[in-house]
């Protein structure tokens, strides 16, 4: 979040204009000079914590709005759009984009909306911003995947359940039975051949497939409780998102419901203390909270409570073809998970070679930022033992990452020197400008190729650089 506050100038300018104030008038209300406010709005000065508090008092707004979405999704998102072949002859560099975002954020946002609306990037299979999944992801990232009201409600319910039974699964079953008149029944796969969870209101039963693992069964119970006991909170957040697309709204409600379920299984305070006490040892967290690797990975991206923040993790889930089915930037932003391209040098792709083994790697992206990443495979639910490959459960690789300068608290980082040479990776060949990559399969989309019959470099494809 610290980095996002440094780049809050666009949001502050929008706040000032929305309230009809000049820079001089707002500066006077905040007891700073107009020139200092001008520097903040142009992202040339940090936003101090004291000034943030004064702004909150003066204008009665949610401080999270300052980090809510830079124009066009920010620097990386604008550069991905400019990587389209139609702009190849312009050779717009990073500094030009920075100046554009600082000088004309409204123009950058307008460009992004028009580009996405007319289907720019459609040839690569990328989702445009008006598709339901993209709309939902944008709303999730606007909140940094942290919904304080849901966490507080879930934490209170978890404490109440703990008083009745220390076994989370048993406590969830009892709550559904006593408070809501719902019994839980585990049914054979022959009875539920294509369904893992079903609510039968006529029989007052929550029916679960025997193929579900222990953590998946507990999560299904928590989802059902979320739909009943957190309906008001979820409805408020869904209405506040203001989706015009009904499908997007339903997808967002589903995300909020699953968020609550995870918060109920892994209550914020206890989970954060366990993370810090174990060095974020995921295997220990799985057993302590009766959760799966993927459930814990999700939860790690949500630890952004004011005054009690965890490490800023991102998470991504891909299949063997490299297709992304989940991605959460949380408080860390999305430098490694945005876009559709992935770098083959990232060990996220190698996780499939050693199923179930956590692989750690120190990586560095083009802007010099360094990340410690963890990768491991997981399997979907619903696979029968001994089933043929065509009926086997889906297999995915989960990638987690945290800024390298904050990774010392991680148990997996104890054997990694944070100052060692990191693996240079990029956002996929079409958007990567590294000239000497031996793994390059395509030239950057906005760079002309150089063909030299007398010389061959490390990379098989040379291109015009800035």
């Amino acid at each position: 979040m610290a980095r996002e506050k440094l780049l809050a100038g666009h949001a502050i300018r929008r706040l000032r204009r929305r309230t009809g104030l000049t820079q001089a008038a707002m500066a006077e209300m905040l007891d700073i000079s107009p020139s200092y406010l001008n520097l903040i709005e142009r992202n040339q000065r940090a936003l101090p914590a004291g000034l943030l508090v004064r702004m909150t008092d003066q204008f009665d707004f949610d401080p999270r709005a300052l980090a809510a979405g830079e124009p066009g999704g920010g620097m990386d998102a604008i550069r991905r759009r400019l990587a389209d072949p139609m702009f190849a002859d312009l050779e717009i560099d990073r500094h030009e984009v920075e100046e554009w975002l600082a000088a004309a954020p409204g123009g950058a946002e307008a460009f992004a909306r028009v580009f996405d609306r007319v289907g720019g990037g459609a040839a690569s299979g990328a989702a445009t911003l008006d598709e339901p999944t993209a709309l939902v992801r944008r709303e999730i990232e606007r909140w940094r995947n942290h919904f304080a009201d849901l966490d507080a409600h879930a934490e209170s319910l978890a404490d109440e359940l703990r008083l009745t039974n220390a076994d989370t699964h048993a406590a969830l079953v009892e709550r559904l039975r006593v408070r809501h008149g719902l019994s839980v029944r585990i049914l054979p796969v022959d009875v539920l051949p294509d369904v893992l969870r079903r609510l039968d209101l006529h029989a007052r039963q929550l029916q679960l497939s025997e193929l579900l693992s222990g953590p998946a069964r507990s999560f299904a119970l928590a989802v059902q409780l979320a739909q009943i006991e957190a309906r008001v909170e979820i409805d408020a957040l869904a209405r506040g998102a203001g989706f015009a697309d009904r499908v997007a709204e339903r997808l967002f409600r589903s995300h909020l419901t699953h968020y609550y379920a995870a918060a109920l299984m892994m209550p914020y305070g206890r989970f954060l203390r366990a993370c810090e006490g174990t060095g974020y040892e995921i295997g220990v967290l799985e057993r302590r909270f009766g959760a799966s690797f993927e459930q814990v990975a999700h939860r790690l991206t949500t630890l952004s409570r004011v005054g009690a923040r965890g490490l800023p993790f991102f998470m991504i889930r891909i299949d063997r073809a490299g297709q992304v089915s989940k991605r959460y930037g949380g408080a860390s932003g999305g430098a490694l998970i945005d876009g559709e391209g992935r770098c083959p040098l990232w060990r996220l792709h190698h996780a499939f070679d050693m199923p179930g083994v956590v692989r750690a790697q120190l990586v560095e992206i083009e802007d010099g930022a360094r990340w410690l990443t963890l990768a491991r495979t997981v399997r979907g639910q619903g696979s029968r033992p001994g089933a043929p490959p065509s009926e086997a459960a889906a297999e995915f690789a989960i990638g987690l990452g945290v800024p390298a300068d904050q990774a010392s608290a991680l148990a997996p980082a104890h054997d990694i020197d944070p100052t060692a040479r990191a693996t240079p990776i990029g956002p996929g060949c079409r958007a990567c400008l590294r000239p000497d990559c031996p793994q390059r399969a395509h030239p950057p989309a906005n760079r002309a190729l150089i063909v030299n019959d007398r010389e061959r470099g490390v990379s098989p494809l040379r291109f015009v650089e800035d």
Side-chain angles (χ1 to χ4, degrees), residues 140-153:
I140 293 170
E141 293 305 319
R142 187 175 77 84
W143 287 88
R144 293 298 187 265
N145 200 25
H146 175 71
F147 301 92
D149 291 345
L150 295 185
D151 263 311
H153 190 287

Side-chain angles (χ1 to χ4, degrees), residues 3 335-336 363-371 403-404 422-423 425 434:
R3 174 172 168 77
L336 282 171
V363 301
E364 181 175 311
I365 57 178
E366 288 182 86
D367 65 3
R370 293 158 63 89
W371 299 78
T423 302
I425 67 172
R434 294 188 185 277

Side-chain angles (χ1 to χ4, degrees), residues 101-384:
L101 288 172
E109 176 66 22
F111 159 76
R113 292 184 186 182
V114 171
F115 182 88
D116 296 330
R117 180 58 57 89
V118 299
S124 65
T128 58
L129 291 183
D130 58 355
E131 292 182 3
T133 53
L135 290 170
V136 171
R137 182 175 179 239
R138 191 170 187 176
E139 182 66 12
I140 293 170
E141 293 305 319
R142 187 175 77 84
W143 287 88
R144 293 298 187 265
N145 200 25
H146 175 71
F147 301 92
D149 291 345
L150 295 185
D151 263 311
H153 190 287
E155 195 163 26
S156 177
L157 178 55
D159 288 342
E160 185 179 343
L161 294 177
R162 202 177 186 195
L163 293 176
T164 63
N165 196 320
D167 184 314
T168 300
H169 183 87
L172 292 170
V173 171
E174 186 71 3
R175 180 76 171 198
L176 286 170
R177 185 184 67 82
V178 174
R179 183 66 64 91
H180 305 293
L182 288 173
S183 62
V184 177
R185 190 175 179 189
I186 309 300
L187 294 177
V189 65
D190 295 335
V191 178
L192 294 179
D194 301 310
V195 177
L196 298 178
R197 174 176 65 91
R198 173 191 288 155
L199 177 62
D200 187 336
L201 289 175
H202 178 73
R204 301 299 298 171
Q205 285 182 352
L206 178 61
Q207 300 170 346
L208 304 180
S209 170
E210 63 181 345
L211 296 180
L212 289 175
S213 65
R217 292 181 186 184
S218 295
F219 193 77
L221 301 179
V223 165
Q224 188 60 60
L225 273 179
Q227 291 174 346
I228 299 172
E229 301 207 18
R231 180 178 297 173
V232 173
E233 290 75 13
I234 291 172
D235 283 348
L237 287 166
R239 287 195 304 270
F243 290 116
D245 187 299
R246 178 63 176 161
V247 174
E249 181 182 332
R250 291 179 68 88
L251 286 173
F252 188 52
R253 285 179 183 274
S254 177
H255 174 79
L256 296 174
T257 301
H258 287 77
Y259 182 102
Y260 185 94
L264 189 56
M265 289 179 62
M266 295 167 275
Y268 195 101
R270 277 192 277 142
F271 185 73
L272 179 59
R273 288 193 294 273
C275 287
E276 294 173 341
T278 64
Y280 291 81
E281 185 63 70
I282 297 179
V284 175
L285 297 173
E286 289 180 63
R287 289 161 181 79
R288 186 170 299 183
F289 292 93
S292 68
F293 182 92
E294 185 168 349
Q295 289 166 357
V296 172
H298 275 227
R299 191 62 171 139
L300 290 174
T301 70
T302 69
L303 303 181
S304 297
R305 177 178 287 177
V306 176
R309 300 186 190 279
L311 293 179
F313 280 91
F314 70 74
M315 174 197 157
I316 187 170
R317 189 181 78 172
I318 66 170
D319 60 21
R320 282 184 176 271
Q323 300 172 114
V324 180
S325 50
K326 290 183 181 179
R327 57 179 126 205
Y328 300 111
S332 70
L336 282 171
I337 63 176
D338 283 339
E340 296 307 305
R342 303 269 85 77
C343 181
L345 298 178
W346 189 9
R347 287 183 190 162
L348 172 64
H349 301 276
H350 304 181
F352 294 105
D353 298 335
M354 300 178 66
V357 177
V358 176
R359 300 174 67 106
Q361 183 184 23
L362 193 63
V363 301
E364 181 175 311
I365 57 178
E366 288 182 86
D367 65 3
R370 293 158 63 89
W371 299 78
L372 179 72
T373 65
L374 308 174
R376 204 202 89 168
T377 57
V378 297
R379 297 194 71 86
Q381 298 293 321
S383 176
R384 301 190 190 199

Side-chain angles (χ1 to χ4, degrees), residues 5-86:
K5 289 179 181 177
L6 293 175
L7 303 176
H10 309 307
I12 294 173
R13 183 183 297 141
R14 286 196 297 270
L15 171 66
R16 178 174 60 79
R17 290 175 175 173
R18 190 166 61 246
T19 53
L21 295 172
T22 63
Q23 279 190 340
M26 176 177 265
E28 183 177 356
M29 294 177 68
L30 297 173
D31 195 26
I32 59 175
S33 69
S35 60
Y36 184 45
L37 178 59
N38 181 55
L39 291 173
I40 291 176
E41 287 193 3
R42 293 167 58 193
N43 290 326
Q44 294 183 6
R45 288 293 185 276
L47 179 64
L51 181 56
L52 174 60
V53 172
R54 292 205 298 275
M55 292 182 71
T56 304
D57 292 340
Q58 287 281 355
F59 299 103
D60 188 27
F61 76 106
D62 188 341
R64 287 174 295 191
L66 294 180
E70 296 179 54
M75 165 67 70
D76 292 336
I78 290 292
R79 291 190 76 203
R80 280 195 301 276
R81 295 180 179 97
L82 291 173
D84 191 281
M86 76 173 80

